[in-house]
């Protein structure tokens, strides 16, 4: 837990934060409404003898009393998909609508991409991209298991992504759930901090900046881009958004979030950020008994 000490100045009740990070994470699934309603899925779980609790902020997110959520009847038939609770937040904040063109720039293994398709009633186009060919098979498997027919799967570097393969030249919305140092997954992956170092944070933040800038460029004026990570490092969060604000035509906008959270930072380690970054959300493990997450919502503006 030593690397997390650097965040003591920015986290209220830091001891509660550390204690939460040391507790194992419970099992959560998302109801896949492409295959069935929330009501039908809950009935199937009850029939299977599995105790559950719906999340207050989202009835499609369900905490299960089982050690193997991927082995249930509902999972086998595509009614549920194992997905950490905070991982289900970015698609909800992006709020895609049926018929739209949406880009998930870093989509594998497909939890958020298929959630986007479900939120769109599987109508429109969700371009699910990942640069890791080895992860594409998992993305395709989950799309097929969950019945997400609106997905188009691509394998490319998001930083230089080309839309020439499509009959359109811009997206309505884009999700950048960026590769990161994964500090916020410590409850699920106890070894997440084993190889932690500031050099890695610096390296991955450069990749994040390139992906987020490309997402803004590829989204129409008035469109929405959501940036998210599962890490606490401001270098990967506020600093990446600030870099995009400085170099692309966009602004940070407010959004509603039914989970307890802290605002984004306006400064870190001698670096100041635009006050608009306080509209971003930092979700810490002790606030909702979840993993850690960061989210910022951007609106693309005229050049």
């Amino acid at each position: 837990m030593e690397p997390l000490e650097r965040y003591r100045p920015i986290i209220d009740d830091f001891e509660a934060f550390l204690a939460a990070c040391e507790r194992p994470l419970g099992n959560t699934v998302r109801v896949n409404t492409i295959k069935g309603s929330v009501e039908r899925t809950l009935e199937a779980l009850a029939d299977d003898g599995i105790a559950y609790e719906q999340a207050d902020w989202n009835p499609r997110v369900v905490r299960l009393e089982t050690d193997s959520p991927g082995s249930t009847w509902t999972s086998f038939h595509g009614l549920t998909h194992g997905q950490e609770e905070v991982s289900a937040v970015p698609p909800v904040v992006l709020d895609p609508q049926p018929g739209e063109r949406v880009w998930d720039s870093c989509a594998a293994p497909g939890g958020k991409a298929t959630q986007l398709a479900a939120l769109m009633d599987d109508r429109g186009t969700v371009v699910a991209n990942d640069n890791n060919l080895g992860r594409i098979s998992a993305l395709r498997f989950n799309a097929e298991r969950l019945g997400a027919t609106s997905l188009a799967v691509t394998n490319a570097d998001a930083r230089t992504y080309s839309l020439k393969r499509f009959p359109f030249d811009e997206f309505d919305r884009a999700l950048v759930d960026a590769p990161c140092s994964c500090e916020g997954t410590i409850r699920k992956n106890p070894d997440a901090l084993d190889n932690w170092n500031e050099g890695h944070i610096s390296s991955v933040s450069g990749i994040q900046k390139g992906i987020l800038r490309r997402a803004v460029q590829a989204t129409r004026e008035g469109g929405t881009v959501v940036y998210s990570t599962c890490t606490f490092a401001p270098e990967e969060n506020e600093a990446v958004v600030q870099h995009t604000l400085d170099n692309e035509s966009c602004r940070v906008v407010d959004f509603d979030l039914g989970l307890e959270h802290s605002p984004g930072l306006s400064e870190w380690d001698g670096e100041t950020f635009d006050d608009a970054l306080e509209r971003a959300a930092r979700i810490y493990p002790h606030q909702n008994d979840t993993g850690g997450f960061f989210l910022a919502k951007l609106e693309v503006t005229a050049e």
Side-chain angles (χ1 to χ4, degrees), residues 217-250:
Q217 295 165 3
T219 302
R220 66 171 174 80
E221 180 183 337
T224 301
V225 177
V226 166
Y227 177 73
S228 62
T229 73
C230 55
T231 200
F232 308 119
E235 297 94 334
E236 301 181 58
N237 294 327
E238 288 87 352
V240 171
V241 177
Q242 183 65 58
H243 177 80
T244 305
L245 293 176
D246 292 341
N247 290 280
E248 302 296 340
S249 300
C250 60

Side-chain angles (χ1 to χ4, degrees), residues 3-303:
L4 300 181
E5 280 291 331
R6 72 198 297 257
Y7 307 124
R8 186 180 287 271
I10 64 173
I11 298 178
D12 292 334
D13 201 351
F14 188 73
E15 298 307 321
F17 163 77
L18 284 182
C21 287
E22 292 175 346
R23 291 196 302 271
L25 194 62
N27 287 309
T28 307
V29 299
R30 170 178 56 82
V31 175
N32 174 35
T33 51
I34 295 174
K35 284 288 189 79
S37 66
V38 173
E39 292 74 17
R40 179 191 173 198
T41 302
L42 296 182
E43 288 176 5
L45 287 170
D47 290 343
D48 218 9
I50 298 174
Y52 63 83
E53 178 187 9
Q54 288 175 274
D56 291 337
W57 68 278
N58 188 337
R60 299 186 184 192
V61 175
V62 183
R63 305 181 188 103
L64 299 187
E65 293 293 329
T66 176
D67 292 330
S68 50
S71 300
T72 62
W73 187 92
T74 58
S75 177
F76 182 79
H77 290 280
L79 291 170
T80 58
H81 178 70
Q83 191 167 338
E84 214 270 284
E85 184 168 346
V86 285
S87 180
V89 174
V92 174
V93 173
L94 187 63
D95 192 27
Q97 301 300 306
E100 289 186 331
R101 297 160 177 164
V102 180
W103 187 35
D104 186 349
S105 61
C106 312
K112 297 179 185 67
T114 53
Q115 183 180 0
L116 292 169
L119 290 169
M120 296 163 63
D121 297 331
D122 205 27
R123 291 189 287 123
T125 302
V126 177
V127 177
N129 177 72
D130 206 274
N131 75 328
N132 188 332
L133 185 59
R135 287 161 57 90
I136 291 291
S137 59
L139 173 57
R140 291 182 57 150
F141 171 80
N142 283 321
E144 291 169 6
R145 182 177 64 86
L146 299 173
T149 62
S150 58
L151 255 65
V153 176
T154 62
N155 172 221
D157 187 334
R159 294 171 293 182
T160 55
Y161 197 79
S162 171
L163 279 75
K164 289 182 179 179
R165 70 195 84 199
F166 302 113
F168 53 86
D169 57 8
E170 58 186 1
F171 294 104
D172 297 298
R173 301 175 199 256
L175 173 62
V176 179
D177 185 54
C180 67
S181 58
C182 300
E183 296 166 338
T185 68
I186 184 69
R187 300 183 65 185
K188 183 173 62 176
N189 305 308
D191 59 352
L193 303 179
D194 285 359
N195 298 312
W196 185 97
N197 64 77
E198 292 195 19
H200 175 63
I201 289 178
S202 176
S203 175
V204 76
S205 68
I207 296 171
Q208 294 159 343
K209 290 171 182 175
I211 297 174
L212 183 55
R213 288 189 62 182
R214 183 65 190 123
V216 172
Q217 295 165 3
T219 302
R220 66 171 174 80
E221 180 183 337
T224 301
V225 177
V226 166
Y227 177 73
S228 62
T229 73
C230 55
T231 200
F232 308 119
E235 297 94 334
E236 301 181 58
N237 294 327
E238 288 87 352
V240 171
V241 177
Q242 183 65 58
H243 177 80
T244 305
L245 293 176
D246 292 341
N247 290 280
E248 302 296 340
S249 300
C250 60
R251 65 188 185 100
V252 183
V253 296
D254 292 311
F255 58 91
D256 293 325
L257 187 59
L259 288 164
E260 184 181 345
H261 62 280
S262 299
L265 305 178
S266 57
E267 61 178 336
W268 167 258
D269 197 27
E271 183 177 2
T272 58
F273 307 120
D274 192 299
D275 288 343
L277 264 299
E278 294 182 4
R279 295 172 176 162
R282 292 180 147 265
I283 303 174
Y284 296 119
H286 64 294
Q287 293 175 320
N288 308 279
D289 193 22
T290 64
F293 232 75
F294 171 88
L295 298 104
K297 186 174 187 177
L298 307 177
E299 179 186 315
V300 180
T301 59
E303 294 183 6

